[in-house]
Amino acid sequence: MKSSNTLGLSVLLSLALAGVGFVITYFLQPDSAFTFALGIAIGGIAIALLPKRSPVAETFTTKTLYVGNLPYRANEAAVRQLFSEHGRVVSVRLMKDKQTGKRRGFGFVEMPEADAHQAIAQLNEKEFQQRTLKVREANERAARDDGNAEE
């Protein structure tokens, strides 16, 4: 169910549209202006009262894959296309050097678990843009030490 604030705004917008429709129709065909405005108001209120359908949430476990030895000219779209041939790709992140902004030759691809295993089997040691890819399950990121620890 919608919140009362959203519902009130929808009804107000519906009535405003009905008013505009009434004025426009009144000057064109005065005898049907009221019917037109009433139809807009009733339709708008009915639409405002309809429950919103929430999209069906897909739930699946994802795996993050490490992709190494990438060509420096490879972009995220090219890597996404390569991996999407072996399953659904949730995200692609190619790492860049902080100072220069140039790609570092590796990245991460997130895929559903079943697709990830297939992608590893199919793409590890495969040639991509004249480089032999290294594809494996990514290690969990270790907690970063900020260097302020006392010894």
Side-chain angles (χ1 to χ4, degrees), residues 100-120:
T100 65
K102 293 181 180 179
R103 292 192 178 90
R104 296 181 60 194
F106 73 95
F108 300 94
V109 176
E110 186 179 8
M111 301 178 78
E113 193 168 7
D115 295 342
H117 294 298
Q118 180 185 349
I120 291 171

PDB file of all heavy atoms in Angstrom, residues 100-120:
ATOM      1  N   THR A 100      48.317   7.699 -12.226  1.00  0.00           N
ATOM      2  CA  THR A 100      48.278   7.913 -13.679  1.00  0.00           C
ATOM      3  C   THR A 100      46.889   7.691 -14.280  1.00  0.00           C
ATOM      4  O   THR A 100      46.608   8.210 -15.361  1.00  0.00           O
ATOM      5  CB  THR A 100      49.258   6.960 -14.393  1.00  0.00           C
ATOM      6  OG1 THR A 100      48.818   5.612 -14.192  1.00  0.00           O
ATOM      7  CG2 THR A 100      50.677   7.136 -13.876  1.00  0.00           C
ATOM      8  N   GLY A 101      46.050   6.936 -13.609  1.00  0.00           N
ATOM      9  CA  GLY A 101      44.730   6.627 -14.143  1.00  0.00           C
ATOM     10  C   GLY A 101      44.751   5.544 -15.211  1.00  0.00           C
ATOM     11  O   GLY A 101      43.719   5.220 -15.790  1.00  0.00           O
ATOM     12  N   LYS A 102      45.914   4.974 -15.476  1.00  0.00           N
ATOM     13  CA  LYS A 102      46.017   3.913 -16.483  1.00  0.00           C
ATOM     14  C   LYS A 102      45.611   2.579 -15.878  1.00  0.00           C
ATOM     15  O   LYS A 102      45.799   2.333 -14.689  1.00  0.00           O
ATOM     16  CB  LYS A 102      47.450   3.817 -17.017  1.00  0.00           C
ATOM     17  CG  LYS A 102      47.864   5.040 -17.812  1.00  0.00           C
ATOM     18  CD  LYS A 102      49.269   4.878 -18.342  1.00  0.00           C
ATOM     19  CE  LYS A 102      49.686   6.106 -19.129  1.00  0.00           C
ATOM     20  NZ  LYS A 102      51.051   5.988 -19.635  1.00  0.00           N
ATOM     21  N   ARG A 103      45.080   1.713 -16.725  1.00  0.00           N
ATOM     22  CA  ARG A 103      44.665   0.393 -16.252  1.00  0.00           C
ATOM     23  C   ARG A 103      45.880  -0.422 -15.824  1.00  0.00           C
ATOM     24  O   ARG A 103      46.954  -0.306 -16.401  1.00  0.00           O
ATOM     25  CB  ARG A 103      43.880  -0.327 -17.350  1.00  0.00           C
ATOM     26  CG  ARG A 103      42.546   0.355 -17.602  1.00  0.00           C
ATOM     27  CD  ARG A 103      41.652  -0.501 -18.462  1.00  0.00           C
ATOM     28  NE  ARG A 103      40.372   0.164 -18.641  1.00  0.00           N
ATOM     29  CZ  ARG A 103      40.105   1.003 -19.635  1.00  0.00           C
ATOM     30  NH1 ARG A 103      41.004   1.258 -20.549  1.00  0.00           N
ATOM     31  NH2 ARG A 103      38.930   1.571 -19.724  1.00  0.00           N
ATOM     32  N   ARG A 104      45.651  -1.274 -14.820  1.00  0.00           N
ATOM     33  CA  ARG A 104      46.757  -2.037 -14.249  1.00  0.00           C
ATOM     34  C   ARG A 104      46.856  -3.459 -14.792  1.00  0.00           C
ATOM     35  O   ARG A 104      47.732  -4.213 -14.394  1.00  0.00           O
ATOM     36  CB  ARG A 104      46.616  -2.067 -12.730  1.00  0.00           C
ATOM     37  CG  ARG A 104      46.740  -0.663 -12.139  1.00  0.00           C
ATOM     38  CD  ARG A 104      46.624  -0.647 -10.655  1.00  0.00           C
ATOM     39  NE  ARG A 104      47.655  -1.459 -10.044  1.00  0.00           N
ATOM     40  CZ  ARG A 104      47.630  -1.839  -8.768  1.00  0.00           C
ATOM     41  NH1 ARG A 104      46.629  -1.472  -8.000  1.00  0.00           N
ATOM     42  NH2 ARG A 104      48.581  -2.580  -8.277  1.00  0.00           N
ATOM     43  N   GLY A 105      45.942  -3.861 -15.668  1.00  0.00           N
ATOM     44  CA  GLY A 105      46.041  -5.176 -16.288  1.00  0.00           C
ATOM     45  C   GLY A 105      45.330  -6.282 -15.538  1.00  0.00           C
ATOM     46  O   GLY A 105      45.515  -7.454 -15.840  1.00  0.00           O
ATOM     47  N   PHE A 106      44.493  -5.915 -14.565  1.00  0.00           N
ATOM     48  CA  PHE A 106      43.678  -6.923 -13.896  1.00  0.00           C
ATOM     49  C   PHE A 106      42.383  -6.283 -13.438  1.00  0.00           C
ATOM     50  O   PHE A 106      42.237  -5.064 -13.425  1.00  0.00           O
ATOM     51  CB  PHE A 106      44.424  -7.578 -12.709  1.00  0.00           C
ATOM     52  CG  PHE A 106      44.573  -6.687 -11.513  1.00  0.00           C
ATOM     53  CD1 PHE A 106      43.665  -6.749 -10.466  1.00  0.00           C
ATOM     54  CD2 PHE A 106      45.632  -5.793 -11.417  1.00  0.00           C
ATOM     55  CE1 PHE A 106      43.809  -5.942  -9.348  1.00  0.00           C
ATOM     56  CE2 PHE A 106      45.794  -4.993 -10.305  1.00  0.00           C
ATOM     57  CZ  PHE A 106      44.871  -5.062  -9.270  1.00  0.00           C
ATOM     58  N   GLY A 107      41.436  -7.135 -13.086  1.00  0.00           N
ATOM     59  CA  GLY A 107      40.143  -6.639 -12.630  1.00  0.00           C
ATOM     60  C   GLY A 107      39.340  -7.756 -12.001  1.00  0.00           C
ATOM     61  O   GLY A 107      39.845  -8.855 -11.768  1.00  0.00           O
ATOM     62  N   PHE A 108      38.086  -7.438 -11.727  1.00  0.00           N
ATOM     63  CA  PHE A 108      37.201  -8.376 -11.058  1.00  0.00           C
ATOM     64  C   PHE A 108      35.858  -8.412 -11.781  1.00  0.00           C
ATOM     65  O   PHE A 108      35.344  -7.381 -12.201  1.00  0.00           O
ATOM     66  CB  PHE A 108      36.998  -7.968  -9.597  1.00  0.00           C
ATOM     67  CG  PHE A 108      38.289  -7.947  -8.830  1.00  0.00           C
ATOM     68  CD1 PHE A 108      39.015  -6.770  -8.704  1.00  0.00           C
ATOM     69  CD2 PHE A 108      38.786  -9.102  -8.263  1.00  0.00           C
ATOM     70  CE1 PHE A 108      40.212  -6.745  -8.021  1.00  0.00           C
ATOM     71  CE2 PHE A 108      39.988  -9.092  -7.576  1.00  0.00           C
ATOM     72  CZ  PHE A 108      40.711  -7.908  -7.452  1.00  0.00           C
ATOM     73  N   VAL A 109      35.315  -9.618 -11.918  1.00  0.00           N
ATOM     74  CA  VAL A 109      34.014  -9.817 -12.539  1.00  0.00           C
ATOM     75  C   VAL A 109      33.156 -10.557 -11.531  1.00  0.00           C
ATOM     76  O   VAL A 109      33.562 -11.594 -10.999  1.00  0.00           O
ATOM     77  CB  VAL A 109      34.134 -10.630 -13.845  1.00  0.00           C
ATOM     78  CG1 VAL A 109      32.759 -10.917 -14.430  1.00  0.00           C
ATOM     79  CG2 VAL A 109      35.008  -9.900 -14.849  1.00  0.00           C
ATOM     80  N   GLU A 110      31.965 -10.041 -11.280  1.00  0.00           N
ATOM     81  CA  GLU A 110      31.036 -10.691 -10.352  1.00  0.00           C
ATOM     82  C   GLU A 110      29.946 -11.376 -11.169  1.00  0.00           C
ATOM     83  O   GLU A 110      29.346 -10.764 -12.050  1.00  0.00           O
ATOM     84  CB  GLU A 110      30.419  -9.648  -9.410  1.00  0.00           C
ATOM     85  CG  GLU A 110      29.571 -10.239  -8.326  1.00  0.00           C
ATOM     86  CD  GLU A 110      28.998  -9.182  -7.395  1.00  0.00           C
ATOM     87  OE1 GLU A 110      29.130  -7.983  -7.685  1.00  0.00           O
ATOM     88  OE2 GLU A 110      28.402  -9.576  -6.389  1.00  0.00           O
ATOM     89  N   MET A 111      29.726 -12.659 -10.870  1.00  0.00           N
ATOM     90  CA  MET A 111      28.766 -13.479 -11.604  1.00  0.00           C
ATOM     91  C   MET A 111      28.031 -14.390 -10.624  1.00  0.00           C
ATOM     92  O   MET A 111      28.540 -14.662  -9.535  1.00  0.00           O
ATOM     93  CB  MET A 111      29.482 -14.369 -12.624  1.00  0.00           C
ATOM     94  CG  MET A 111      30.295 -13.649 -13.658  1.00  0.00           C
ATOM     95  SD  MET A 111      31.138 -14.777 -14.785  1.00  0.00           S
ATOM     96  CE  MET A 111      29.777 -15.221 -15.869  1.00  0.00           C
ATOM     97  N   PRO A 112      26.846 -14.912 -11.006  1.00  0.00           N
ATOM     98  CA  PRO A 112      26.213 -15.951 -10.191  1.00  0.00           C
ATOM     99  C   PRO A 112      27.155 -17.149 -10.068  1.00  0.00           C
ATOM    100  O   PRO A 112      27.939 -17.435 -10.978  1.00  0.00           O
ATOM    101  CB  PRO A 112      24.960 -16.322 -10.983  1.00  0.00           C
ATOM    102  CG  PRO A 112      24.657 -15.105 -11.786  1.00  0.00           C
ATOM    103  CD  PRO A 112      25.997 -14.513 -12.121  1.00  0.00           C
ATOM    104  N   GLU A 113      27.066 -17.822  -8.951  1.00  0.00           N
ATOM    105  CA  GLU A 113      28.029 -18.885  -8.627  1.00  0.00           C
ATOM    106  C   GLU A 113      28.156 -19.944  -9.726  1.00  0.00           C
ATOM    107  O   GLU A 113      29.265 -20.298 -10.123  1.00  0.00           O
ATOM    108  CB  GLU A 113      27.623 -19.546  -7.303  1.00  0.00           C
ATOM    109  CG  GLU A 113      28.677 -20.412  -6.716  1.00  0.00           C
ATOM    110  CD  GLU A 113      28.364 -20.810  -5.291  1.00  0.00           C
ATOM    111  OE1 GLU A 113      27.265 -20.513  -4.796  1.00  0.00           O
ATOM    112  OE2 GLU A 113      29.243 -21.426  -4.678  1.00  0.00           O
ATOM    113  N   ALA A 114      27.035 -20.445 -10.241  1.00  0.00           N
ATOM    114  CA  ALA A 114      27.093 -21.495 -11.271  1.00  0.00           C
ATOM    115  C   ALA A 114      27.763 -20.969 -12.545  1.00  0.00           C
ATOM    116  O   ALA A 114      28.575 -21.670 -13.163  1.00  0.00           O
ATOM    117  CB  ALA A 114      25.690 -21.989 -11.588  1.00  0.00           C
ATOM    118  N   ASP A 115      27.440 -19.744 -12.935  1.00  0.00           N
ATOM    119  CA  ASP A 115      28.046 -19.154 -14.130  1.00  0.00           C
ATOM    120  C   ASP A 115      29.534 -18.886 -13.915  1.00  0.00           C
ATOM    121  O   ASP A 115      30.333 -18.996 -14.847  1.00  0.00           O
ATOM    122  CB  ASP A 115      27.340 -17.853 -14.507  1.00  0.00           C
ATOM    123  CG  ASP A 115      25.890 -18.072 -14.917  1.00  0.00           C
ATOM    124  OD1 ASP A 115      25.529 -19.218 -15.235  1.00  0.00           O
ATOM    125  OD2 ASP A 115      25.115 -17.095 -14.909  1.00  0.00           O
ATOM    126  N   ALA A 116      29.901 -18.542 -12.694  1.00  0.00           N
ATOM    127  CA  ALA A 116      31.301 -18.235 -12.398  1.00  0.00           C
ATOM    128  C   ALA A 116      32.182 -19.462 -12.606  1.00  0.00           C
ATOM    129  O   ALA A 116      33.267 -19.371 -13.191  1.00  0.00           O
ATOM    130  CB  ALA A 116      31.433 -17.718 -10.969  1.00  0.00           C
ATOM    131  N   HIS A 117      31.710 -20.605 -12.153  1.00  0.00           N
ATOM    132  CA  HIS A 117      32.500 -21.832 -12.324  1.00  0.00           C
ATOM    133  C   HIS A 117      32.678 -22.162 -13.807  1.00  0.00           C
ATOM    134  O   HIS A 117      33.757 -22.565 -14.238  1.00  0.00           O
ATOM    135  CB  HIS A 117      31.854 -23.002 -11.576  1.00  0.00           C
ATOM    136  CG  HIS A 117      31.872 -22.835 -10.088  1.00  0.00           C
ATOM    137  ND1 HIS A 117      33.031 -22.745  -9.364  1.00  0.00           N
ATOM    138  CD2 HIS A 117      30.857 -22.716  -9.192  1.00  0.00           C
ATOM    139  CE1 HIS A 117      32.750 -22.583  -8.077  1.00  0.00           C
ATOM    140  NE2 HIS A 117      31.432 -22.554  -7.946  1.00  0.00           N
ATOM    141  N   GLN A 118      31.621 -21.957 -14.579  1.00  0.00           N
ATOM    142  CA  GLN A 118      31.707 -22.205 -16.016  1.00  0.00           C
ATOM    143  C   GLN A 118      32.674 -21.212 -16.673  1.00  0.00           C
ATOM    144  O   GLN A 118      33.476 -21.588 -17.518  1.00  0.00           O
ATOM    145  CB  GLN A 118      30.330 -22.089 -16.670  1.00  0.00           C
ATOM    146  CG  GLN A 118      30.370 -22.331 -18.157  1.00  0.00           C
ATOM    147  CD  GLN A 118      29.021 -22.106 -18.822  1.00  0.00           C
ATOM    148  OE1 GLN A 118      28.006 -21.969 -18.169  1.00  0.00           O
ATOM    149  NE2 GLN A 118      29.028 -22.074 -20.143  1.00  0.00           N
ATOM    150  N   ALA A 119      32.608 -19.956 -16.268  1.00  0.00           N
ATOM    151  CA  ALA A 119      33.491 -18.940 -16.852  1.00  0.00           C
ATOM    152  C   ALA A 119      34.954 -19.243 -16.540  1.00  0.00           C
ATOM    153  O   ALA A 119      35.824 -19.085 -17.408  1.00  0.00           O
ATOM    154  CB  ALA A 119      33.110 -17.556 -16.337  1.00  0.00           C
ATOM    155  N   ILE A 120      35.238 -19.699 -15.331  1.00  0.00           N
ATOM    156  CA  ILE A 120      36.619 -20.055 -14.976  1.00  0.00           C
ATOM    157  C   ILE A 120      37.101 -21.180 -15.885  1.00  0.00           C
ATOM    158  O   ILE A 120      38.193 -21.112 -16.461  1.00  0.00           O
ATOM    159  CB  ILE A 120      36.724 -20.473 -13.492  1.00  0.00           C
ATOM    160  CG1 ILE A 120      36.499 -19.264 -12.586  1.00  0.00           C
ATOM    161  CG2 ILE A 120      38.085 -21.105 -13.203  1.00  0.00           C
ATOM    162  CD1 ILE A 120      36.358 -19.608 -11.109  1.00  0.00           C
TER     163      ILE A 120
END
